[in-house]
């Protein structure tokens, strides 16, 4: 499943060359991330005018707002509740900024403004998904670079995700899919790190981020399989080493 590759000898042991190489890698990645963010912001307000049915987006936004009235039970479990809590916290940050600049006098006024300007709340929640989606581009690059030791392949894989119509659509929606994918990739990132250095800390972080992704949407449980594979592989390797020593 995983194969170890040696770093290119062209960059080994050359501090200046390594610095130049890092800058050359960072520049296209920054441009790629900017492109991904632009593609996800473009059309972020789609469907927020008129009488378009927003489906699960409405469920997420309305229930996140209801948390502000003191009832932290979403009373709806088609999705796990963590993403709704994250949206609620994001709403809280937006309110705090609006209150500081004099746009809102109270949390009650902020909550009631949903009835006059619901599109504002959908845009806030969609922006959160956009940030998760854009962050996934960087994780894709870094994971691929670690596995292949090839910057071009890593950039190519990140580019494919950046322009993926499916991923762009999910990153423009106030639903948990974009956040789920982000934390799944975070879990896989730590799984790869654990495979590289066998540090318990990385295995714990891989499990923790996998748990977060599952708490956002149930299908994320699939991300446990690569972690369990690497843990099993490490356990067999440790036992074999002990048997050889004894």
């Amino acid at each position: 499943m995983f194969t170890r590759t040696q770093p290119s000898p062209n960059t080994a042991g050359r501090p200046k060359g390594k610095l130049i190489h890092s800058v050359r890698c960072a520049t296209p990645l920054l441009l790629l991330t900017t492109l991904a963010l632009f593609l996800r912001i473009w059309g972020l307000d789609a469907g927020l005018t008129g009488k378009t049915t927003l489906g699960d987006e409405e469920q997420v936004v309305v229930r996140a707002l209801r948390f502000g009235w003191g009832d932290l039970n979403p009373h709806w479990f088609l999705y796990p509740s963590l993403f709704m809590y994250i949206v609620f916290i994001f709403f809280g940050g937006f309110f705090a900024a609006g209150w500081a600049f004099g746009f809102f006098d109270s949390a009650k006024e902020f909550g009631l403004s949903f009835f006059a300007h619901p599109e504002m709340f959908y845009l806030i929640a969609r922006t959160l998904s956009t940030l998760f989606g854009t962050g996934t581009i960087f994780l894709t690059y870094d994971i691929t670079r670690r596995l292949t030791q090839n910057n071009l392949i890593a950039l190519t894989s990140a580019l494919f995700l950046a322009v993926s119509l499916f991923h762009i659509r999910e990153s423009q929606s106030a639903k948990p899919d974009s956040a789920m994918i982000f934390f799944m990739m975070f879990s896989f990132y730590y799984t790869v790190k654990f495979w590289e250095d066998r540090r318990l800390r990385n295995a714990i972080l891989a499990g923790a981020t996998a748990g977060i992704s599952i708490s956002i949407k149930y299908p994320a449980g699939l991300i446990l399989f690569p972690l369990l594979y690497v843990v099993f592989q490490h356990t067999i390797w440790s036992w074999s080493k002990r048997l050889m020593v004894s």
Side-chain angles (χ1 to χ4, degrees):
M1 183 176 181
F2 298 109
T3 56
R4 297 181 184 274
T5 54
Q6 296 298 324
S8 171
N10 296 329
T11 58
R14 295 170 55 188
K16 286 188 177 180
K18 189 174 181 180
L19 177 61
I20 294 173
H21 177 72
S22 299
V23 173
R24 287 176 178 173
C25 292
T27 301
L29 180 60
L30 178 60
L31 293 174
L32 187 57
T33 305
T34 303
L35 171 65
L37 181 61
F38 173 77
L39 291 175
R40 283 151 182 76
I41 291 176
W42 184 270
L44 195 62
D45 60 347
L48 295 183
T49 56
K51 297 182 179 180
T52 304
T53 301
L54 296 172
D56 290 349
E57 283 190 288
E58 184 176 358
Q59 295 288 346
V60 169
V61 169
V62 170
R63 292 173 194 280
L65 271 174
R66 285 179 182 172
F67 293 154
W69 300 102
D71 183 6
L72 296 179
N73 186 342
H75 302 284
W76 185 71
F77 298 99
L78 179 62
Y79 301 137
S81 54
L82 182 57
F83 183 70
M84 287 177 270
Y85 293 127
I86 296 174
V87 172
F88 170 62
I89 293 170
F90 212 58
F91 283 161
F94 189 85
F95 161 70
W99 177 81
F101 286 99
F103 292 106
F104 307 109
D105 293 327
S106 66
K108 182 178 181 180
E109 180 185 353
F110 173 72
L112 291 175
S113 66
F114 174 79
F115 297 100
H117 303 287
E119 66 279 357
M120 176 180 70
F121 293 86
Y122 287 101
L123 278 174
I124 295 171
R126 287 180 176 186
T127 299
L128 179 61
S129 288
T130 295
L131 294 176
F132 279 126
T134 305
T136 306
I137 307 301
F138 178 79
L139 286 172
T140 300
Y141 165 81
D142 198 54
I143 291 169
T144 308
R145 182 183 58 82
R146 286 176 176 274
L147 290 175
T148 65
Q149 294 293 324
N150 188 304
N151 188 59
L152 180 59
I153 295 176
L155 287 171
T156 303
S157 64
L159 175 62
F160 283 150
L161 185 62
V163 299
S164 166
L165 294 179
F166 175 80
H167 194 262
I168 292 172
R169 185 191 69 185
E170 296 306 321
S171 299
Q172 294 177 332
S173 173
K175 295 192 294 184
D177 300 83
S178 180
M180 176 195 71
I181 295 171
F182 174 81
F183 282 105
M184 286 180 72
M185 292 297 286
F186 228 142
S187 176
F188 191 61
Y189 166 78
Y190 282 116
T191 298
V192 172
K193 289 194 69 175
F194 175 62
W195 172 75
E196 289 177 335
D197 58 23
R198 309 299 186 187
R199 293 179 62 185
L200 179 61
R201 171 180 175 273
N202 289 323
I204 293 173
L205 288 172
T209 46
I212 292 173
S213 64
I214 297 168
S215 298
I216 290 174
K217 199 170 181 182
Y218 303 117
L222 293 172
I223 199 60
L224 290 172
F225 285 103
L227 174 59
L228 292 174
Y229 171 82
V230 174
V231 169
F232 177 75
Q233 183 190 53
H234 173 57
T235 303
I236 295 299
W237 178 84
S238 298
W239 286 350
S240 300
K241 186 176 180 180
R242 289 176 183 176
L243 287 173
M244 290 176 65
V245 171
S246 61

